[in-house]
Amino acid sequence: MSPSSTGDSPPSGMGNASMRHFPAQSRETFTIEMPNATLTAVPNGSHSMRSPNDFKVQRTPSISTPSIQAPSIGREGILGSTNKGRNGSQSNENQSNGLAKLMQDESSNPLKRRNTATDVGVDYPRRRATIACEVCRSRKSRCDGNKPKCKLCTELGAECVYREPGIKLDAGDKLILERLNHIENLLQMNMSGGQINGVNLNHNQESPPMSNGTGGENGLMSGSNNGFVSVIPNGGFGTWTTQPTTTNINTMPKVHTNAAMHLLQWPLIRDLVSRPYDPQILLQLEMDREPLHSLTKTPCVDLSNTQAYIEAYFERVNVWYACVNPYTWRSQYMTALSNGFREGPESCIVLLVLALGQASLRGSISRIMSNDDPPGLQYFTAAWSLLPGMMTTNTVLATQCHLLAAAYLFYLVRPMEAWNLLCSTSTKLQLLLMTPNRVPPKEKELVERIYWNALLFESDLLAELDLPHSGVVQLEDNVGLPGGFEVEEGEGVGRDELWYFLAEIALRRLLNRVSQLIYSKDSMASTQSLEPVVAELDYQLTQWYESLPLPLQFPFTRTILQDPVQTVLRLRFFACRTIIYRPYILAVLDNEQALLDPAVRENCHKCLEASIRQLEHIGEHHAGHMPYIWQGALSMVSQTLLVMGASMSPSLLSILLTLVPHREALDQIINDVVMEVERYAFLAPSLGLAAEIIKEAEIRRRTFLAG
C-alpha cells in the first residue's frame, strides 16, 4: 500500500510494550525490485528521472529480472547501498541481496553469516538487446534500437551512440567513461550559461553521476515571488574550505539548513519569537554546560541484581544497537568477574551493559525527578573510571567500550559528551579498518556493528549541531553490513536481532540523502528543480517501507501502536517524509500565491500530514527514549514550529483543517507538544531553550490568530 494513505499496512504482528522477537521469513515472501537514486543531467540543465512506474515489488521466489537489483535490507545490500563485501570481491549481484536472504531459516541462528559464494543466492538480470545505445545501457533501460536515435534519447535530447559490435568494457573502462561523460556534461552546462550547484557524487555503483540543476547560494532556502527561492547565509562554526571533488550522497553534508533552529528564520515563524536566534546557539549551550559531577566520585557498585539488568539489556536495549554478542556474553562476564570489575575492557563492557539495562527498566528519563540520580549511573561511573585505559588502547573491545558509553550519555541527554566519545570511537575504527588484517576474523562482525552505530550516532548529531565531521564516513564503502554473530557453544543470553538495526541504517542513509540533495549549500534553489528530486526521494522512502519484513511494517492507521520497534520506525518514517516536502511549506509562507500550483498544494498536504502524524500521539515518542530522546525532542520542536507557521497562513490552514477534526483539535496537538517538551527542559540546556522557544511561539501564535 502507499504510505501516504491512512489505511492499514500489510498484516503486521502486534506485540506488547516490551521488545518482540521476530520470526525469520523465507525468501518466498520477501523479494524487492526497486531503483537506486538516479538523476541524470542533460545539456539544458533539466533532470531526467526514472518513473516509479518503471519498477515493481515482487513477492515471488522466481528468478528476478530487474535491471537494477533491489536495494533491500540485507547483509551486503541495503536500500541502494552496494557496499563491498567482507573480502572486497563479491559481485554486484551478491551485494544487492536483500533481507530475505539474510533471514533464510537455515539453522538455529537465522542470521548466521555465510562465508562462501555458494551460500548466497544470485538473482540473474534479464538478457538485453545487444544493440542498446550507451545512454540506455548506462540507465539500464530497455532500448528500442532505432537509428539514428532511439526513443529514450529522442525524449532526452541526448546523443545516441551505439557501441561497435564485439567491444566489451571492463569495470575500469566504464568508470573512466562515466567520469568523462560527467565532465563533459559539466562543461556543456557551464558553456551554455548554466551554473551547477548540484552534488558531485561518487561515480560508483552506489552513486551514479548526477547534477541537480541551477541556482542557489549557501544557506536556507526561502520562497520568492518568481518561484525561485532566495537564501539566508549559513555561517558559524564548521566552515570547511577544502571540499572534496566528489560527495557521498548518503552522508550528512558539512553545511546544511535542516536543523530545527533554522526554521526560526522562516517567514511567519520568525514572528513567533521575540528575538533572533543564532542557529549555533544549541551547540554553544551544550559546550558551556557543566560536566557530570558524579563521575568524579569513587564508584560504588551494587552487584546484587545484575541478572535482571542483563536480561533487560538484551530484551530492551540491544535491539536498538545490536552491538553486544549474546553468544559470547557469559565468557565476557566471567572475565570481568574474575577481575573484580576493576580492570580490562570486559569489565568496562559489562558495567556499561548493566547501566543501560537498569536505565531501560525505568522508562523515559524525562519522567524521573530532576534531583534523583538517573538509573544506571552507578554502573556508568564505575565504567567511566576504566575508560582512560581504553582511551590509549586501539582494540575492537576498547572501541566497543567507547560506543556503549556514548549510548548511555545519549540516554542522559548529554550530546556533547557523547560526541567526544564518538570521536575517539571513530579514530579507533579508522585505525582498525585502514588495514583489514588488523581486525581478527572473529571480531569482524562486531567491528562492523560498532562502525554503523558510530555512523548513525554521528549523523543524528550532525543533523542538529554544526560539529566537525570525524572522518569515519570515508570508510563506509569498505565496511560490510552486519550478517549475524556466529553461534558459540552453549546458549546465548538473548537473541541476535538485526531487523531494526538494518532498517535504521537504511533510513538514516536516506535521511542523509535528503539533507544532501535539498538542504546542503549545493542544493537546487527552486521548487521546479526540486520536484523530480522530491518525487524520487519519496519513492525511495516508500520502497524502504515496503522492503521491511512484515513484523516491522507498521500500520498507517491513526492509532497508538503497542510495539516500540514499529512505533519508532513509524515516527522516523514521518520525520523523513516531512523534511522531504518541507521546502514547499517555505515557498507558501513566503508567497501565498504559490499554493495555486496544484503540485505545490499536493506536496504541502503531504508535508503537513506527516507532521501531524508525528505529533498527534505525543506519548508515542517514549518508545524511543533510549536512543532518541534528544533527537526526538528537537524533531517535535521542528514539526510543531512548521505546523504553527502553517496555521498562520490562510491557505495552509485550510490544508491543516482537512487533517484534524476541527480547529480546537489542532490547538490541542500543539499544546500537548509544548507540555511534553517542557518536561524535557531540565535534561539539557539545549532542550531548555527549545522548550522556551516553543512555549513563547504558541503564546504569540494564539495572540496573532485572535487578531
Side-chain angles (χ1 to χ4, degrees):
M1 71 165 267
S2 170
S4 63
S5 68
T6 57
D8 289 326
S9 67
S12 173
M14 298 295 294
N16 53 32
S18 62
M19 298 300 174
R20 275 186 304 113
H21 303 297
F22 305 118
Q25 291 190 329
S26 66
R27 180 181 173 86
E28 283 75 7
T29 61
F30 194 71
T31 302
I32 300 290
E33 296 176 12
M34 60 171 280
N36 289 320
T38 53
L39 293 171
T40 305
V42 293
N44 63 3
S46 62
H47 297 84
S48 173
M49 181 172 296
R50 294 178 182 273
S51 166
N53 295 329
D54 296 337
F55 306 91
K56 62 180 179 298
V57 178
Q58 174 179 306
R59 299 193 183 274
T60 62
S62 60
I63 294 178
S64 178
T65 61
S67 58
I68 299 180
Q69 185 59 41
S72 326
I73 305 173
R75 182 177 59 140
E76 300 298 344
I78 184 167
L79 292 181
S81 169
T82 53
N83 294 296
K84 295 182 180 179
R86 288 186 179 84
N87 60 12
S89 62
Q90 279 99 331
S91 65
N92 187 39
E93 290 89 346
N94 289 349
Q95 293 172 5
S96 57
N97 288 317
L99 183 59
K101 301 182 183 69
L102 174 72
M103 293 183 291
Q104 192 170 2
D105 191 10
E106 299 174 339
S107 63
S108 60
N109 176 15
L111 298 179
K112 185 175 181 180
R113 76 170 73 206
R114 307 173 182 85
N115 293 320
T116 61
T118 57
D119 289 329
V120 183
V122 178
D123 292 332
Y124 298 94
R126 62 174 178 265
R127 292 185 175 273
R128 301 182 178 280
T130 57
I131 59 172
C133 71
E134 291 299 326
V135 172
C136 291
R137 287 177 186 272
S138 65
R139 293 170 57 89
K140 296 182 173 64
S141 300
R142 179 171 295 180
C143 184
D144 59 14
N146 288 340
K147 294 184 178 180
K149 275 194 174 184
C150 69
K151 181 179 179 182
L152 179 62
C153 289
T154 302
E155 293 175 351
L156 296 177
E159 184 180 1
C160 191
V161 178
Y162 290 91
R163 187 182 301 175
E164 293 296 325
I167 297 178
K168 293 185 178 180
L169 303 178
D170 60 20
D173 295 330
K174 292 179 180 178
L175 182 61
I176 292 170
L177 288 178
E178 285 179 359
R179 290 187 181 276
L180 289 174
N181 288 335
H182 182 64
I183 292 170
E184 182 180 10
N185 285 336
L186 295 181
L187 290 174
Q188 288 178 353
M189 295 176 73
N190 280 328
M191 291 173 64
S192 63
Q195 180 185 1
I196 299 178
N197 285 330
V199 178
N200 298 325
L201 304 180
N202 293 322
H203 300 288
N204 52 25
Q205 296 156 339
E206 178 176 317
S207 303
M210 182 174 76
S211 170
N212 55 1
T214 61
E217 300 173 5
N218 298 355
L220 180 68
M221 300 181 301
S222 62
S224 63
N225 293 335
N226 60 6
F228 280 79
V229 286
S230 59
V231 288
I232 299 173
N234 177 25
F237 305 119
T239 303
W240 290 265
T241 56
T242 55
Q243 295 290 343
T245 56
T246 58
T247 301
N248 185 344
I249 193 177
N250 297 312
T251 63
M252 282 299 298
K254 290 186 175 178
V255 180
H256 68 87
T257 56
N258 192 17
M261 294 301 292
H262 281 284
L263 271 73
L264 297 178
Q265 302 180 31
W266 286 23
L268 293 184
I269 297 177
R270 60 175 170 246
D271 298 331
L272 297 177
V273 291
S274 57
R275 62 185 180 90
Y277 289 95
D278 188 323
Q280 306 300 326
I281 191 170
L282 297 187
L283 175 60
Q284 192 61 50
L285 287 171
E286 291 298 329
M287 290 178 64
D288 295 340
R289 186 177 184 179
E290 291 187 2
L292 280 167
H293 296 295
S294 60
L295 299 183
T296 61
K297 299 177 182 178
T298 302
C300 180
V301 178
D302 178 9
L303 299 175
S304 61
N305 203 23
T306 57
Q307 186 59 35
Y309 300 149
I310 292 169
E311 291 176 359
Y313 176 87
F314 284 101
E315 178 71 20
R316 298 166 176 263
V317 182
N318 208 42
V319 65
W320 306 119
Y321 310 118
C323 62
V324 177
N325 190 339
Y327 308 116
T328 60
W329 170 257
R330 296 186 190 279
S331 173
Q332 280 187 313
Y333 186 84
M334 294 306 297
T335 301
L337 186 62
S338 66
N339 293 328
F341 300 98
R342 291 187 177 89
E343 62 180 15
E346 292 85 1
S347 297
C348 191
I349 291 169
V350 169
L351 289 168
L352 290 168
V353 165
L354 293 172
L356 289 164
Q358 185 180 12
S360 71
L361 293 174
R362 289 284 299 276
S364 174
I365 194 174
S366 65
R367 298 303 189 262
I368 297 172
M369 298 296 293
S370 58
N371 55 350
D372 291 344
D373 281 343
L377 187 61
Q378 58 169 327
Y379 300 113
F380 180 74
T381 302
W384 188 262
S385 67
L386 302 178
L387 274 178
M390 304 303 104
M391 186 71 70
T392 55
T393 306
N394 296 307
T395 64
V396 175
L397 291 184
T399 310
Q400 186 182 19
C401 290
H402 282 80
L403 181 75
L404 288 169
Y408 185 79
L409 286 169
F410 271 117
Y411 165 74
L412 292 184
V413 198
R414 290 268 176 174
M416 285 305 297
E417 287 94 329
W419 176 75
N420 278 284
L421 288 181
L422 287 173
C423 288
S424 179
T425 305
S426 171
T427 302
K428 295 179 188 301
L429 284 169
Q430 291 178 68
L431 287 171
L432 290 168
L433 295 171
M434 281 169 59
T435 304
N437 294 335
R438 289 178 184 163
V439 181
K442 284 191 175 183
E443 293 183 331
K444 283 189 175 181
E445 175 72 18
L446 177 59
V447 81
E448 288 171 356
R449 299 188 187 207
I450 296 171
Y451 175 85
W452 288 108
N453 270 295
L455 202 61
L456 292 174
F457 278 148
E458 183 176 53
S459 295
D460 283 336
L461 286 172
L462 294 175
E464 297 294 344
L465 302 177
D466 190 8
L467 295 165
H469 291 220
S470 70
V472 71
V473 71
Q474 299 172 10
L475 301 170
E476 183 181 2
D477 291 337
N478 301 321
V479 179
L481 291 168
F485 285 121
E486 294 282 358
V487 178
E488 303 286 339
E489 292 185 5
E491 184 180 356
V493 295
R495 291 175 177 261
D496 183 24
E497 293 178 350
L498 280 171
W499 288 23
Y500 170 82
F501 188 52
L502 289 168
E504 179 56 28
I505 291 172
L507 187 58
R508 182 69 255 179
R509 286 164 59 85
L510 178 55
L511 282 162
N512 291 351
R513 203 174 301 155
V514 173
S515 294
Q516 280 281 3
L517 296 177
I518 299 179
Y519 296 96
S520 74
K521 69 183 184 67
D522 291 324
S523 60
M524 67 284 300
S526 72
T527 54
Q528 290 87 351
S529 59
L530 272 175
E531 190 168 346
V533 179
V534 164
E536 174 66 18
L537 290 171
D538 188 67
Y539 176 67
Q540 290 179 31
L541 180 61
T542 301
Q543 290 295 289
W544 170 84
Y545 171 78
E546 293 181 351
S547 297
L548 295 174
L550 290 180
L552 263 66
Q553 281 191 351
F554 44 85
F556 284 91
T557 52
R558 301 181 71 162
T559 55
I560 297 177
L561 302 180
Q562 299 302 314
D563 186 333
V565 171
Q566 286 187 340
T567 300
V568 169
L569 288 177
R570 187 166 75 172
L571 289 171
R572 300 282 277 176
F573 172 92
F574 285 125
C576 184
R577 202 155 200 254
T578 298
I579 66 170
I580 287 175
Y581 288 105
R582 203 164 66 188
Y584 291 93
I585 301 295
L586 177 57
V588 176
L589 291 179
D590 190 70
N591 177 16
E592 289 279 328
Q593 300 301 314
L595 207 66
L596 297 176
D597 184 342
V600 172
R601 185 176 186 85
E602 179 185 1
N603 291 338
C604 286
H605 184 278
K606 291 177 180 177
C607 180
L608 293 175
E609 180 186 28
S611 298
I612 291 295
R613 295 299 306 276
Q614 248 192 296
L615 302 174
E616 61 186 349
H617 301 300
I618 203 64
E620 285 189 321
H621 290 262
H622 293 176
H625 74 94
M626 290 297 293
Y628 292 124
I629 189 167
W630 184 75
Q631 301 93 317
L634 292 178
S635 180
M636 291 181 215
V637 171
S638 293
Q639 315 321 339
T640 307
L641 288 172
L642 194 72
V643 171
M644 286 179 177
S647 70
M648 298 164 65
S649 161
S651 52
L652 292 176
L653 178 60
S654 66
I655 296 177
L656 280 172
L657 294 179
T658 67
L659 302 171
V660 295
H662 42 73
R663 180 76 167 269
E664 290 73 21
L666 178 63
D667 293 341
Q668 187 61 48
I669 289 174
I670 295 174
N671 187 63
D672 289 344
V673 177
V674 172
M675 294 179 62
E676 182 71 13
V677 177
E678 278 192 319
R679 294 190 182 102
Y680 297 175
F682 75 94
L683 296 173
S686 55
L687 298 188
L689 178 61
E692 291 177 13
I693 289 173
I694 200 170
K695 184 176 182 179
E696 179 191 19
E698 175 59 0
I699 294 172
R700 285 174 165 255
R701 185 188 76 93
R702 296 288 183 98
T703 303
F704 175 86
L705 294 177

